[in-house]
Amino acid sequence: SGIVKDRRDMSAEPFVQKALAEKSSGFATTEGDGEKKLVTYTYDDRTGWLVCVELPYSIIAAKTNVLIKIISSVIIVAILLITGLAFFVARKIARPIQEMQQSALKMAEGDLTHSVTIQSNDELGSLAEALNQMAGNLKKLIRNVQENSHQLASASEELTASAQESAETTTHVAASISE
């Protein structure tokens, strides 16, 4: 299945005469046998010949179309793979964020027993650790406020009792003075 179909004298072609005169190489197009052809030519310094190769545009187009189909298929597969990978990465990032959002909402509702269980060494892991630390600090703060409020209530009861004793004492002293 050789590509060479025939050999013919192309010396009358204008591009051949110009290439021989300038001793140059290049490309040209010709029409022959009812079809357009691409010709590539090279000047050989040793022989003084111009070697020309003709290839019909129909063959070039057929090869190009196959190449375009292959490249298009590779691009489509690559796009699908990249889309799948992007979806996977997005889910891997979004899931921990959604979990932390749910934990933050529970904390906002007052449930400080819930903790985030994300085990990673990136920014999301640091954020989860910070949320858990915040919940722990809020528990301590609430515990301190409760303890202080109990102490305040005890001190208030003592002051009330002391004030009542002072009032009773003042009443007795006033009664003793008036007698």
Side-chain angles (χ1 to χ4, degrees), residues 67-89:
L67 187 60
I68 288 172
K69 287 178 185 177
I70 291 171
I71 291 172
S72 297
S73 298
V74 168
I75 289 173
I76 289 171
V77 168
I79 288 172
L80 290 174
L81 287 174
I82 290 170
T83 301
L85 181 63
F87 182 73
F88 173 75
V89 169

Side-chain angles (χ1 to χ4, degrees), residues 165-178:
E165 281 181 29
S166 293
E168 287 176 11
T169 304
T170 304
T171 304
H172 286 308
V173 167
S176 298
I177 292 176
S178 39

Side-chain angles (χ1 to χ4, degrees), residues 3-179:
I3 295 180
V4 177
K5 291 187 178 178
D6 62 7
R7 294 168 196 230
R8 66 182 179 99
D9 181 11
M10 298 180 77
S11 60
E13 294 284 341
F15 73 87
V16 172
Q17 293 172 2
K18 182 178 177 187
L20 285 171
E22 296 175 0
K23 298 181 181 181
S24 63
S25 301
F27 297 93
T29 56
T30 63
E31 296 241 359
D33 302 330
E35 72 178 323
K36 192 173 182 180
K37 298 177 183 179
L38 177 66
V39 180
T40 181
Y41 54 90
T42 303
Y43 181 80
D44 186 357
D45 289 325
R46 292 174 294 153
T47 61
W49 291 2
L50 191 66
V51 179
C52 300
V53 177
E54 276 184 322
L55 190 60
Y57 271 102
S58 59
I59 292 175
I60 295 170
K63 299 287 183 184
T64 304
N65 287 339
V66 169
L67 187 60
I68 288 172
K69 287 178 185 177
I70 291 171
I71 291 172
S72 297
S73 298
V74 168
I75 289 173
I76 289 171
V77 168
I79 288 172
L80 290 174
L81 287 174
I82 290 170
T83 301
L85 181 63
F87 182 73
F88 173 75
V89 169
R91 285 191 59 163
K92 187 170 173 81
I93 292 171
R95 187 174 292 136
I97 292 173
Q98 289 171 339
E99 185 178 331
M100 286 186 278
Q101 178 192 19
Q102 292 301 316
S103 292
L105 287 173
K106 287 182 181 180
M107 288 179 205
E109 293 170 355
D111 181 6
L112 299 177
T113 61
H114 188 73
S115 65
V116 183
T117 56
I118 294 174
Q119 302 294 325
S120 69
N121 295 326
D122 58 3
E123 292 82 1
L124 292 175
S126 297
L127 182 59
E129 188 177 311
L131 276 173
N132 289 336
Q133 187 175 1
M134 179 182 72
N137 290 343
L138 285 172
K139 284 181 198 176
K140 288 178 189 174
L141 180 65
I142 289 172
R143 200 173 305 121
N144 287 341
V145 167
Q146 287 174 338
E147 287 174 7
N148 288 339
S149 98
H150 289 312
Q151 288 174 356
L152 184 62
S154 295
S156 174
E157 286 175 12
E158 288 176 17
L159 282 173
T160 301
S162 177
Q164 283 179 346
E165 281 181 29
S166 293
E168 287 176 11
T169 304
T170 304
T171 304
H172 286 308
V173 167
S176 298
I177 292 176
S178 39
E179 289 175 4

